[in-house]
Structures are given as structure tokens and as C-alpha cells.
Amino acid sequence: MNGLKEIIQSNRVWLCLDCGKCSSVCPITRHIVEPYTSPRLLVEMAINSGEEAILNDPLLWSCLTCNYCTEICPSQVSFSDFIQNIREGARDRNQSANCTHSGMMQTWSRMMSDPDLKQNRLDWIEDDLQVSEDSDTVFFTGCLPYYDAAFSQLDIEGIDITRAALKILNYLGIEPIVLKDERCCGHDQYWQGDMNIFRKLGETNLLNLMSTGAKRIVTTCPECAWTLKHTYPEIIGNSGMEVLHLAELLVDTDLLETLPDNSANKNKPVTYQDPCRLGRFSGVYQSPRELIRGLGFKVKEMTHNRKSSLCCGTSCWTSCGQVNKKAQVERLEEAKSSGADLLITACIKCQIHLKCAQNDPILGEDIQINIRDLTTIIADQI
Amino acid sequence: MVKEVLIIGSSQAGLQAALDLAFSGIKVNVIESSPFMGINGEHLFPDYLLNQRLLEILKHPNITPWTNTSLQKLTKVNGIFQAVLQQYPRYVDLSKCTACGDCIEICPVIVPGSDRKAIFLEGQPGCAVIEKAGVSPCTYACPAGIHVQGYVALIAQERYQEAYDLIHSALPFPSVCGRVCNHYCEEACSRAQLDEAVNLMALKRYVADWAYRRKDDQSEDPKLSLDSTSDDKRPSSGKKVAIIGAGPAGLTAARDLIHSGHAVTVFDANSTAGGMMRVGIPPHRLPYDQLDWEIQQILSEGVDLKLNTWVDDIPGLLSNGYDAVLIATGAHEAVKIPIENADHPQNWLSLEFLKKVCLGEKIDLSGRKVIVLGGGDVAMDAARAAIRLGTPEVRLVCRGMRASFNEILDAEEEGIEIIRGKVFKKIVLDQRDISGVECLDAEIGEVIDGKRQFSELPGTEHIIPGDLVIWAVGQRPDFGFLPKNDRITVLSPEGIRADSRMMTSMEGVFTAGDVRRGTTFFVVDAVGEGHHAARSIDNYLKGKLLEITESGPSEVILSQKEMRNRLDQRDQVRFNRAAITHLPVKDRKNNFYEVGLTLGEEAALQEAGRCLICGPCSQCMACVEVCEPGAIIHNQTSSRSFIDAGAVIFADDIPIEFDGVEGYQVAGEDLETGSAAAYQVMKDLKLNLIPTIQNIPQLALLEKAEDRIGLFLCQCGGEISDIVDTNTLSAEAVNWSGIVHAQELQFSCSEDAAGEIMDIIQVEDLDKVILAACTCCSLDQICFSCTYQRLRCKDNLGIFSSLKSSIPIEFVNIREQCAWVHQDLPDKATEIAKILIITALSRLRSRKTGEQSHTYESNKVLIVGSGPAGEICKSSLIELGIETEMIGEIPKKILRKGGHVILTFESSELLTDLLVITPGTKKEQKLLCDVLQMPDGRSLFQLVDSRINSLDFGVLMFPPDVNAEISGMSGAARIAAWINKINNKTELSAAEVDKSRCRACGTCVEVCGFGIPDLIEEASGRYSFIDPKLCLACGICAAICPSGAITPGHSPDLQLEEMIKTILA
Amino acid sequence: MKTEEKISKIILFTCNWNAYSGLEAAGAEKIPYSPTVYPIRIACLGRITPGIILRAFENGANGVLLLGCSQGECQYETGNKQIAEIVPETRNLLNLLGYNDNQFQLDFVDTRDGKSFREIIQIFTNGIDEILGNQ
């Protein structure tokens, strides 16, 4: 890890004004009881007390890197990147976050970092779906097939989403390439500071992607999208390919016009959860909403939306607990009180985390709302 | 008030009572007459559960098990029961036996009427036991102390070398006593009372000859004989003993004394060692090559032999560096009767004649008419020797004949004329030469005090012709060598006076054999005296004045009936003993070839098969030889104990009355009667349960830094180390991270081993220990695979008693899991052992330390249901001072949540930890079953019933059709036991919830089979609480917890990951 | 390639009850089983998670065998029900990662049944050898 100084420099940490705006929005700060912590305090610590102090602060590993603090920061301190940088260093000292699900996801990602691993990840492509060896579009499925297997209990949309995506692309006359040896994009490894695994994953992916000769990469996962588009070029290398979240691709097509009658949805109140990597990171707020409206739904915004949208509460399959649950419950209550009866999100992780939170023996109805992915909602109309 | 309880018998009901009482904190003695507990009667449990239960009993600190123990006397003196217990020997050390089974394999004896060996193992405590009614009569009768039944049993199995070694260890001259013994053993043999005694002498000779034929292979064989194996280990005492006389007594004593570490010099006036055996018994009865070999073996053990040395200065020996002297000169002086011409030179003395013969001097008697005077064995030897020296004319003249029947036949066959019933008057001369012996006929009267009476018949004078007279009418010792000053007194006409230690009137001078008795006895007697004298001399030299005689088991006397049974059991028809054959007469002429021939193998085996196995243990000592831990104690004796008890429960499968003393009777298999009796006892002893209130200290993970771990590898006496290379492992181990000390142990389940480990912990300042043996867990728990040895090992190391004081110990099973399964692949076995040990290292590192202890929030018992058992249970509980309440109404719902049982009614809710359900009718039972729900939907009944001992849950149910009286009381007993057990539970294994990581999703609540986790509201929020007093540490909740908030009691993720990595590294 | 013997390593998780006593019985009765099998004893199979199983394969295990008690015989009531639910899920993940069904199995042994313990191991290890091309 670069020295703390460089990290502070490169992430504009020294510009912090101690205004405390971040503390007022940070999902961890707002829900944590003991011990209190906040981005402001951590930044202050970094500048005054140095490395040791930060390494022991709970926020170091519980920060969701949702970027809300940066969004609101008058001095644009890029706190998420700061955290990422610090975590890289902490790793060198064998520090890491507590994994959830007894480290299942981290493990399969590590396993995928072996370039010789021969996966068997295309079984979800049924005969009615068209893919090709040679296309200008690659459909990057991400870990969806894995989540589908891992969360069979939670009844999430896993390969439903990948199938939906292919269905839509085919409908648009696109028969994309789907990599049989695609790897996890490494988003979680990067943000957890596990650069070793991240690099291995990234390199394998880049090689596979570039060997296709395609021009663009489409994915339904905002984290894959952000990582392929920004993190790879920065850390590993540039594929020279265009990277799009499916939503971005679809708004620029005539899809909506061509879709059959959607009166069934007429004015059905739905609400939309901006995934951090698609919203605040990539600034894609409009496209999903346009698509949803285009399907005939009535979008009821939650109290916090767009730039001020709330994170789904957990990141990187780590440090998930009481605080995170509170954040999720808060978000679900917002969704309920928005008057919508469907919560649409564009990220599989938002769906998993929120559905997991709904698994509560006591809160019951207050947080029960149907949750779907934008992709499958659209596919329903075809 | 005596708080101890006596339970007679170990029926299942009795054991249940024992458990209930023990858990309630009452000391219990379980008296079992057989060597194993709970094996009688029908069993309601499958073996593995019975085993688990028995080990629970053996392990429980409040229970003292008495096996092989009978209640001798039971009286009641002002309210206190006084019992006299007789504990019979097991002959195997409970603290040493490893149940390896080697002894059972090697034992040559199958107990008549059974299919098991005389040493066997068939239950708990899992240690072998020897079935020994006592010492067999043959063995008991042998003056030399040979384990006769033992060598017979070994011969029957064609294990001749062992048979020979067994004989040879007690008798240095097997070849001699296989030929010329007077075999007291055969006289004692039980078989003689059925048909004929087993031909023990012939069997002894058979193995003696067998061994002699192999003497050359044996000389390479280090296991030449039991005693010579220990040569080098023998520590020298620095004392010197002089033995005068190299006969059977002297040489036997010499060998014994050498074995006791003394230096021995043997003096003999003759030119050859062996005494009467060598210069008294002619070769046609006892060839010398074999005897000389046997003597050579003794000498080769370091005896200094000085031949042709006449010693007559005994005080000189003592003053010249000898610390003790043994006089064993025998009786070599033949006597004459003082009649006319008895000193004419043609009167020979039998012993001088025989000596010449034995030493091979040329004597030609051709043309002589020989008269041998005397009727004993010596006379017979002289006569039969004479007829082999060229003369056909030998007459043996005697008053009464004392030689054996067989020998008389042989003699007559050989042409000797035997003339009985004569009294010698004078030797008749014709000029200068003897022409005959004048005799009178004698009338033979009856025996008066041991001596046959005779009366001469006057006027019957007649002359028996002959020109050479050999006197064989008696022998006596020559005392000429004794100090003149009578410091060593002689009792004439007997021998040298000696006390019970065989010490003469002179300090430090002992005597044995014929010289002490005053005349010739048999070799085996001399050997016996040799042993005795040697023991005394050894004691004398070691300063032990009085000989300590350990009173071993006594002689077995079989009843006629028993003997017949044994014959039938082996469906053996009666048949006579195998007799030895003889050399044809024509082949005996003018030579000294041995006349008696040895048995053939077939005959020998059949003859050995005739043994009735009186022991039944034959004391062949094979088990002692093979037992690595040295657990066999053949001369163990029974012991008496006295116990005062406040109450007695008779729990034999057959109810017993003990002369009027009132105790509680429990029925063999009915566990509830057991518990009911336990309740009665609790009441009698005024049980009071004082909950020990302790807080629950936080469990800390052991520091990873600067471990000081000690590794101990059990060899299990070769069971492990013969396959797994424990030696190399212990050498390598010190390079493994954390290990600062590594060593092997011969038997880790022995007390010595435990002591050694404790010492090393101190010396090496260890903070953790790994013991690689057969024990597999360090928990205060017994699972299906547990064994007595594993319990013993853990107990010795204080695992059960003092978790606090003892440092963390991890166990690895490298016996069953390495040595035994992979015995054909030693390298693999070693490699796997290594890996398992290293995984244990990682397990040890991430192991919790500290202590948990708990107390019930409420000890109040609720009783639901209108069954009569309820009322009785209530009054019983109140009798024991336990708060109890009857609930009239049937609840809408009963379920276990958060470790409590919650009863839901229309308007109210009741919470309890202790619930007794006693439906009054089938209908009510059905109703209760419907309202009783476990989180996973199963009825609480199933849960309760699925356990033998529903104690684990504090919930009991008695169906309507039970015996209300019994069930009610048993309920009370189990509740009492449960409260005490739970309140004093110390386990390290409860699952723990990290509040900050808990999402309160309730998955743990759903998945727990016992409804132990519960969601609790706190200021910081909701989280799951797992009651450590009830958690069984299965870890299922931890596995299902999505956020990983729960750390299981055993094998947390980190630990498993470490272990996996080690294995796959 | 196929000719040379690949040494496989197999992680065997046994519960502390029926399965472990089966393992012990095999030892006590000296019934040998494949030395490629490395036992790890846990209280109950319900303790096992997909993560732990994946970790075994990540670290190079050629197979993972879970041995517990038959349905209804779980000492902790719900353990084998729990593991039975986890197994298919885990198997799907392993399939995605390119592993063969034979490399991950769940089975049960009766108390002290060393013989069938050995048989189960035998069948499993044969399956592994097939995959590794050891015949």
C-alpha cells in the first residue's frame, strides 16, 4: 500500500472540513450504537492519529463504499476509494472483514482465480435462447448462476435475470457471445483490498473478453459494469471495449415502442432502488426509470432516491449484522411507505440483501413488498 | 446422616437409580458380583447405548463401581446400614489393562462348558478377567512348584517350547523328573477319581526330550527359558554364597540365587556334578547326556563349580568372603545290618557299586552269583545294574518290597529273582568266600504308625546261595565334614537340624535335601527344598529375617459331579492313560540302554487332552508373558471392605432378601422403579439441592502467540508404535510450530503416564498438550465409540474432575484411525498420523478456554394433566423441597422457546424450565400431544421418548396407563437429578452469538432441534440468545446463520479451515 | 497421462455419533479402508456449510464425503435434515465450478458398522479414481 500520506492526498482526504454532513447520511453511522464511528471521525483520525488508529476503527471494514458521503461532501473527499486503499494495506497485516455465509462467495471467487479452472456455467442457456460464437456483443453474466444456486432458499431471481437478458437481446436481434470460462469480475475482492485475487480474475477475464473480438460488453450487474468499465482499465488494462449495463443499452433502442400492449401494468405503482454502483458511481439514474415508465408502471419515488438513494445495506458479502439489517429494514419501510407495491432494482445484490432482510419473524407485513429485477420485468413484456 | 447409598446388583433399574442419585449429588456404591456390570438380564437398549450408559456409570465421580464383589453381611445399626463387601480378585489390573486381547488369544485354556478362554473380556469395565477357582491339585501337590496344569494345557496345543520353559522355570531337571519322579501330581490328579490320573510324568518327559532334540536351535533362541531371558537385567547384590553339594537341591538353590543376583560357588567331592542323579541312578533308568545338558544350563548362568573338592571347614568359608553357606551334600552312605561276616570284603555297598557303574568303571561280574539285600529303589537299581554286568544270576532278597510295580516287572523280565519276606541272619562262608546268606522267613504284619510290622518264624532257617552280597538296606548322610564342635547340630537318626528357614544352628549356614532329611528322598523333594533354602538365603542376605509368604489362591477341589460334567462337556469317553513303552528284554542284555521309552506325539496330545482343567486357569503364565502393560496379577488375593450407607437398593435381576434387612427392591428392567427407588432414597437422606449460583464468564480464545505445546505419542505397547513410527514423529515434532516438547509414552492410559505428562507440563512450562493415542476427544462426554481405557486416560489427566486446573489437552486417535486400519501400509499410517496430529495442533490453537457455569432461573416445576401420577409427583417433589404447581387447565399450546417451556392459555402464558405431563386419559393424552409442538413441528413427546434418559430436557411425560405410584416418584427423582445436573454443569461447548453480527432473522430459532435459541429485545436491538446451560453444541445454528454471527461450541469455521489446509497441504 | 497413478486426497467429515463409531469400528476390527481418506470429526453434519465444502476443494481435495446418521437418528434431531438441504445447493455450485457429482457425496452409516463404512469409502474412492483416470 502506498503510504498513508499518498492515500490522503490522492483521495482529497486532507480537504475535509469537519462539517459532519457525511455522518448524517452514512448508513453505518446512522444505525450503529456501540462503538460510534463516522467517515468524518475516520478521516480526522487518518490525518491526526495515523494508520494504527484507522486500522482499529469498525468503519474500516463495515463501510459499504456506497459513496453517499462523497456525494454529499462539500470537498468531494472520495471516502470509498480512501477506504479501499486503506483496506489494501490492512490486508498486508492479515486484517480482513468477517465473511458472511461462511465465506462461500469469497471462496468461489478465489477458485475462479485459477486460470486452469474449467467451469460449467452455461447450462442456464435453454434452446429457445440464441447465443453465438461471433458477435460484436458479449453478454457478461457475472455470478448470477452461482447466486441462483447459493440462494435457492431465498427464492431470488438468479438465472431468471440472465435468461431474461438473453431473451431481450435476442428480441432486439442480438445473439451475443457468452463466455464459457467467464470469471467473477472481482468487484468484491477489489473493494475488500484483496488485490492479488482481483488481478488474477481481471487478467483472465480481459484475455477471454479480448479474444472474442467483440466491441461491447453488456451486463445486468452494476458492479460488473463499473468494475469492467473503470477498475480494469485503471488496475489491469484496457480492453478497448464499450461496457454497458443492460439498462443503458436498452434506453437507446426502439425496444419500448415495439413491445406489445402493456395495459396490464397501467399506473401500477412501483418504486425503484438505485444500486450504488449504477447510480452514484455511474450516474445512471434516468434510464432505468424511463424503461420502467415505458412499461406502463407509475414510479413512486422513495424518500431517498437518485443521488441520495440508500444502499441495500451490505457489500462484498462481509460484515453483515444488526446495523446492516436496520439499514435494510429502513429501506424496505421507505419502499412500503412510497405507496408502491413492487420494488424494482437493477442489481442482484440489492435483491438478495433486501429479500434476506424480509426474512424476519417479527416485523412481518411492515417490510413485505415484492422485489423484482428490472431485466425480468422487461422480459415479462416480450 | 450417612449420605452414601448401596446398590446391590447392576440391573438396568439399579443403574438408573445410581444415575439419578449420582446426578443429585449423592455418593453411590454399585455392587456387582460378576466381573462386568449390567450384563445380566434382557436389555432394552442396543449394545452401543448400553455401553454408553455403563461408561457413564463408571465415569461418574459420585459412583463407585464394585465388580467381582459380593455382599457378605448387611446389618442395620441405629438407622445406618453396615455392609461387609468381599471383592474377589480379577487377576488383571483395572488401571493397566488395555483390552488389547493378546492374552485371550494366547490363553491355551477353554473353560469347560463354555466357549470362552480362561481369561476373557465381555463388557464394562472393559478389562480382561481371569477365571480362576484356585490352583489345580496337580500344581498344588508339586514340591518343586511346577505349574502342572499349565504345561499340560500348552502341550495339548502343541506349544512344546512354552511347556518346556514353564517346567524348566520351576525345575532345572525336567529330564530327570520326567523319568524317576514319584509324581505327587499324579496322586493328586482329579482324573484319577474318574479313571486314571493323567500320565503327567510321561508328558513332562515328552517335552523334556522334545526340547533336548532341539537343544541346538535353542542355543540360538534367546527365549531358551523364562528365567535366562532376564540374565543381563539382573542387578548384582554383591553377596557370595557357597553351596556344598552339586545335587538337585544344591544346583536348584544355585540357579535361584544367581537369579536373585548373588554370586554362587558350588563345591562337590565327586568328579561330576549332579549328585545322586548322576552317581546314584544307573543309566538304564536315567541317561546322562540330557541331565548333563540341563546341568550345563545352570552353570552357564554363571555358577562357579568346583569339583573333586571336599569341603570340611564351613566356618572357614564364612570367614573367607562367603556371606552364606548351603549344605546340600545328600545321603551317600549305604548302611549294612550288623550280622555275622557282614564286613567280609565280598560285601559291597550299593551306593559305592552304583557310583562305579554310573561313572562307567569297568566291572565284570561274569560267573558271579549276586545277592542284593534290600527292597527299595536303590536295591532295584543295584540288582538291575548287576544283571547288566555279565552274570545271569542275580537274586534280590528283601523283607518287604518298596519298589514300584513297573520296576518289579522290568526286573523280573530281565531275569532277576525277587525273594520277598526274608530276614537276614548271617552271611555264610565257604572257606574264605561267601557262599550265601542265611535267612529266616518273616510273617508280614500290618502297618503301625507308618512302619510295617514283621515277625520272624523260628525254624525256617535256610540259605540263599550267592558269592557276592550288595547291601541296599538304607542310606544315610556322611556328617564327617561338619565342624567338630557341634556348632551345627545333627538330629540322629535324622539329618542336620534346621529351622523353618532351613537355617542350621549356625548363623548363615543353611541346609537342604537328603542331608537335612537324613536319608534319600526324591529329586523333586530336593528341588523343592533347594527353592525353599534359596528363598531363605536370599531373604537372609537382603536382611529380611522372616520369609514373606504371599498367600496365593488355594487348591481347587472338584466335586465328583463337576468332574463328570467336565468329561461330558468335552464329550470324552473315559479311556485309560497312555502308558510309556519299554525296550524289549532281548535288547537290554549287557548294556545300559534306557529301558523306558518316550511317548509318541499323538499319544502325548491325547494324554494332555485328558486333563479336566480344574483351574480352570492353568497358570501357564502365557498371559503374563504376552501382556505388554504387565496387568496380570496371578497371585492377587480377595479383599474385604466395610461400607456405611444411609440406604440400600436391591437391584439384582433376581430380587433378593438379605436376612431381614429392609432395602428397596427394584425390578430388573423397569427404569421407572429404579428412579422411584432413587426418590425414596433422596427422601430418606433428606436431599437438599442448593443451586450453586455462578456467573457465566466470557470465553476467551487461546492466544496464538508463543505457544508452548507438548506432544505425547502413545505406543500402546506396540499396538501403535509397531505400525506408526512414533519414534520418528516425536523426533520431527519439535520442528512443528508451537511444539516445544515431544516424547513417546508406552501406555498413555496408565496412571504413570498421566503423572509423567503432569511433570513435563511443570518442567517444560507447557500451556497446551496434544496426546496422540486412542482417545479421541477432550470432552466430558461419552459417545458411542468410547471405551473404558479412554475414560481412564481422561480421568487420570483430570479432564472430568478439574477442567479448571488442567491445561487444554487435545487428543488424536492414531490407533484405530492410523495404526489399526492401515497396518499393512506403515508409511501411510505414519503420514496420516502426522497430519492428524498437526490438524489437532490447529484445533488446539483455536480452542476455547475458561469455564461456563449456569443456574436455573426457576427451579419451579409445573405439572399438567389430570393423571394420578401428577398428584404423587407433586407431593414427592414438595417432599424434596422443590417448588411445584399443578396446572388444572390444559394449555392451548406448549412449546420450547429460548430454552424454556412456554405454556399458552386463553389469556395468559406460563414459563417454566421443568415440566411434568401426566395425562389422565388416552383422550387427554391425544389432546396434549396436539398442543405440544417443537419448533420443527415434532411433538415434544417424540423428543422425550427418543431419549432413554429424558433428563436432558427437564420435561417428562407419563402416559395414563402407567403405575401412578412408581411414575410419580420416578418423575420427582429425575427432576431433582436434572436440576442438580444443570446447576452444576461445566461445559466449554455452548454456541455463542456475536450480537453485532446477529440479524435477528430467526433461522437459528427455527433450526434448533431443542428450541434453545430465542430472539431477545435489547436497547441496541434484537438478537438471538442461546442458553449455554441447554446448548448441546451441535453447531447446526452456526452453519445456517447467514451472517456468521454464531460461533459454534465445537469446530468453528476457522478451525475446520485450518484442519482442511493442513490435510491438503 | 492416464497411466500414471494420481494420488488423491479425500476429506471425510463424520458426525460424532453413528458415522464416527462406524469409522472407529473399522479401526477396531482392523478393516482397512483407502489411505487417501482423511477423517475430520464434527459433532453433527448439520455443522457443515457449503463454504466449508468449497474450501476443501479450493485447497485441493479431490473429493469430500459426508457421513452422518440416517434420517430420524440424528442426536441433535435436525442435523441430517439440515445437511440434506445444503447438499443439493452445494452440488450445484460444484457443478458450476466444473466438479463431478461423484466428488461430493452424503451418506450415512449405522452405529459400529465398520464393514459398510469401508464399503461406502470404497465406492466413493473408486468414483474419484475414475475421475482422476486411475484404473
Side-chain angles (χ1 to χ4, degrees), chain B residues 155-197:
Chain B
I155 290 170
Q157 291 217 330
E158 303 178 34
R159 289 155 61 176
Y160 306 125
Q161 181 64 54
E162 289 168 77
Y164 177 77
D165 293 341
L166 183 65
I167 296 168
H168 190 257
S169 64
L171 172 74
F173 317 105
S175 73
V176 178
C177 293
R179 290 176 164 81
V180 299
C181 192
N182 59 329
H183 43 70
Y184 301 95
C185 49
E186 294 183 14
E187 283 153 33
C189 178
S190 302
R191 180 90 193 208
Q193 302 177 44
L194 293 180
D195 40 33
E196 278 187 296

Side-chain angles (χ1 to χ4, degrees), chain B residues 578-591:
Chain B
I580 63 163
T581 52
H582 292 77
L583 196 70
V585 185
K586 59 177 171 48
D587 303 340
R588 306 182 200 163
K589 287 261 177 298
N590 303 328
N591 68 51

Side-chain angles (χ1 to χ4, degrees), chain A residues 33 98-102 314 320-322 324-326 328 353 356-357 359-363, chain B residues 994-1002 1015 1017 1019-1023 1041-1044 1053 1057:
Chain A
V33 179
N98 297 317
C99 297
T100 60
H101 305 280
S102 78
T314 312
C320 174
Q322 225 168 44
N324 314 71
K325 176 81 171 280
K326 286 179 186 165
Q328 287 148 2
H353 296 141
C356 171
N359 241 342
D360 186 289
I362 293 164
L363 294 168
Chain B
D994 173 345
K995 291 184 191 179
S996 67
R997 291 172 71 184
C998 176
R999 291 170 58 83
C1001 57
L1015 294 183
E1017 198 75 46
S1020 56
R1022 260 187 300 124
Y1023 68 91
C1041 174
S1043 63
D1053 281 15
E1057 191 172 338

Side-chain angles (χ1 to χ4, degrees), chain B residues 11-27:
Chain B
S11 63
Q12 293 311 314
L15 297 182
Q16 180 61 50
L19 281 172
D20 291 339
L21 289 164
F23 280 126
S24 316
I26 295 171
K27 292 240 168 293

